[in-house]
Amino acid sequence: NAGVTQTPKFQVLKTGQSMTLQCAQDMNHEYMSWYRQDPGMGLRLIHYSVGAGITDQGEVPNGYNVSRSTTEDFPLRLLSAAPSQTSVYFCASSYSVPSGGYTFGSGTRLTVV
Amino acid sequence: DAKTTQPNSMESNEEEPVHLPCNHSTISGTDYIHWYRQLPSQGPEYVIHGLTSNVNNRMASLAIAEDRKSSTLILHRATLRDAAVYYCILRSRPPYTGANSKLTFGKGITLSVRP
C-alpha cells in the first residue's frame, strides 16, 4: 500500500548510543519532514526537506541529523542519544502543490535510558 | 506563522453533529486553513483544507467565516472512532519552496465522543 513507512516502531537506547530512524515513502512526494511528539504536546518539527539533496532545520533540530539522497528516503540520525530525546517520532511527506495534505507515518516510539 | 486558537477539549454524543471551532484572527490573504486529526497512538491524518469557500469531503465539512478570522470543522455524525485530537493549522499557499512547506502544530482540540 502507498504511504509512509517508518522503522523501527519501538526502540530503547542507552544514553550516548547513536541510531537512525528510517522513513520511506512511495508516493513520489517532494516534501518530507520529521516531527517529535512529547506527552500532552503537539508535534514539533525537527528537520524537513523540500527535495533530494535539500534539507533544513525545523524548530528543535539539536541532536539530530538528516540527509536526503533520494526522493523516497529521509532518515533521521540521533548522534548521541539523551533522555530528553525520549519521544514519539513521526515522519511525513507531501507534494509541493498539494491537492490534499501531508501523509504521516505510524511513528517510532523511542525511549532513551 | 499566523497563529490559531482552539478550545482544549469538547464532548459530543455519538451520531450527533460536532462543530469544532478555530480562531485565526491574524490570517493572511494567502493562508490556507488545514485540519488534521490524530487518533490515539497513531500519526496525524489529513482531514480537509480550504481558502475562502466552504469545503466538503467524505470525512467532514469546513465552514470558513466571511472575514476568514475563524473556521469550523463539522463532523456530521460523530462516531466513537472520531474521538481524537483535531488540529487547525494555517499554511501559506503553494508552491512550497522552503520554510513555508512545514506545518506548525498547536495543542489542538481533544474530542471525546459519548456512546
Side-chain angles (χ1 to χ4, degrees), chain B residues 3 9 28 37 52-53 57 71 80 92 102:
Chain B
K3 190 174 177 179
S9 62
S28 75
R37 73 177 185 181
T52 56
S53 303
N57 66 20
S71 60
L80 297 179
S92 59
K102 61 184 180 181

Side-chain angles (χ1 to χ4, degrees), chain B residues 14-68:
Chain B
E14 195 175 13
E15 298 189 2
E16 291 184 356
V18 181
H19 291 233
L20 303 175
C22 181
N23 288 322
H24 28 79
S25 58
T26 59
I27 190 171
S28 75
T30 56
D31 283 338
Y32 281 76
I33 302 157
H34 285 245
W35 283 82
Y36 284 76
R37 73 177 185 181
Q38 187 174 19
L39 303 173
S41 300
Q42 294 189 26
E45 174 186 29
Y46 165 80
V47 177
I48 200 167
H49 76 283
L51 183 62
T52 56
S53 303
N54 295 343
V55 184
N56 300 297
N57 66 20
R58 63 174 180 82
M59 292 181 68
S61 296
L62 177 60
I64 301 172
E66 194 169 338
D67 64 6
R68 300 206 332 121

Side-chain angles (χ1 to χ4, degrees), chain A residues 37-57:
Chain A
Q37 186 172 35
D38 300 310
M41 298 184 68
L43 285 82
R44 293 184 292 170
L45 181 65
I46 304 172
H47 286 286
Y48 64 99
S49 169
V50 300
I54 306 169
T55 64
D56 206 346
Q57 296 181 350

Side-chain angles (χ1 to χ4, degrees), chain A:
Chain A
N1 291 335
V4 177
T5 302
Q6 291 184 236
T7 55
K9 293 191 183 303
F10 300 94
Q11 183 71 49
V12 178
L13 285 180
K14 293 183 178 179
T15 297
Q17 286 185 319
S18 62
M19 79 160 295
T20 300
L21 307 185
Q22 301 291 344
C23 176
Q25 53 92 8
D26 57 3
M27 297 170 285
N28 205 31
H29 286 169
E30 297 94 334
Y31 294 104
M32 297 187 75
S33 51
W34 277 101
Y35 292 83
R36 62 176 287 175
Q37 186 172 35
D38 300 310
M41 298 184 68
L43 285 82
R44 293 184 292 170
L45 181 65
I46 304 172
H47 286 286
Y48 64 99
S49 169
V50 300
I54 306 169
T55 64
D56 206 346
Q57 296 181 350
E59 182 184 357
V60 288
N62 292 339
Y64 307 95
N65 274 357
V66 293
S67 60
R68 185 99 180 268
S69 57
T70 67
T71 299
E72 295 78 19
D73 300 298
F74 191 43
L76 178 72
R77 297 183 190 83
L78 279 70
L79 307 173
S80 177
S84 61
Q85 294 178 304
T86 294
S87 189
V88 181
Y89 292 84
F90 292 102
C91 179
S93 70
S94 81
Y95 290 114
S96 61
V97 186
S99 58
Y102 270 89
T103 300
F104 282 80
S106 58
T108 295
R109 186 173 297 275
L110 176 68
T111 302
V112 182
V113 298

